Amino acid sequence: LAGQSLTGKRLDLASVIGNPAVVVFSFSRAGGQDAQLWIQRLMKDDPHLAIYTVILLESVPGLFRAMAVSGIKNGMPAVLQDRTVLLYRDEDLWRERLQVANKRHACAMLLGRTGRIQWITAGPFANALYSELSKSIRASN
């Protein structure tokens, strides 16, 4: 999974191998708000954790994409802008791969040191799910 970051740099998530990392996917504006809940909590609890965001914008009409990207960038902490991949294609394929039934929810996953998925959820942010993710993060360190 690779693409252009919010700051215009190329970002390849294969580069995270070697350290645990959380990747949060969003497929809509509401999904982005759900993703923010995951990210804010992760950053608060472990500021050194590698967190990446993948935002799929295929369904945003071309005329509005620049405006959407600007809004995303303005609402995101600078530290995450280099770690945010924007994708403009294969949205349905990614939703299928990640088993995201509702675009209004984010998909959060933990990649272990080898790059393999250690934990994943495609439901809305919830404290119980966050606790599960936290346990998996501690176990992968």
Side-chain angles (χ1 to χ4, degrees):
L1 177 60
Q4 185 174 349
S5 74
L6 270 176
T7 56
K9 299 175 184 171
R10 179 157 173 77
L11 177 59
D12 187 343
L13 291 182
S15 67
V16 306
I17 293 175
N19 294 303
V22 174
V23 182
V24 182
F25 291 79
S26 65
F27 297 87
S28 68
R29 179 180 285 191
Q33 292 168 344
D34 192 43
Q36 283 182 343
L37 295 174
W38 286 100
I39 293 164
Q40 288 170 351
R41 183 77 179 270
L42 286 161
M43 289 178 71
K44 177 183 166 214
D45 290 352
D46 187 352
H48 303 292
L49 178 66
I51 302 168
Y52 295 86
T53 307
V54 179
I55 301 173
L56 288 105
L57 297 168
E58 180 179 12
S59 60
V60 176
L63 183 64
F64 300 106
R65 285 184 180 171
M67 187 170 53
V69 170
S70 176
I72 291 166
K73 191 172 183 177
N74 289 336
M76 184 172 287
V79 68
L80 288 177
Q81 291 181 14
D82 276 341
R83 292 182 173 181
T84 298
V85 176
L86 303 174
L87 295 180
Y88 297 97
R89 65 186 196 307
D90 299 329
E91 185 173 319
D92 289 338
L93 178 64
W94 280 106
R95 283 187 58 207
E96 182 180 325
R97 283 180 181 162
L98 300 171
Q99 298 180 356
V100 175
N102 187 337
K103 290 173 67 166
R104 299 178 59 81
H105 301 152
C107 173
M109 74 168 61
L110 171 65
L111 299 178
R113 293 183 184 282
T114 63
R116 296 180 63 84
I117 298 171
Q118 301 294 309
W119 185 90
I120 188 169
T121 186
F125 177 85
N127 286 326
L129 286 173
Y130 183 79
S131 292
E132 287 179 26
L133 174 56
S134 293
K135 287 177 190 173
S136 294
I137 292 169
R138 286 190 301 276
S140 69
N141 282 323

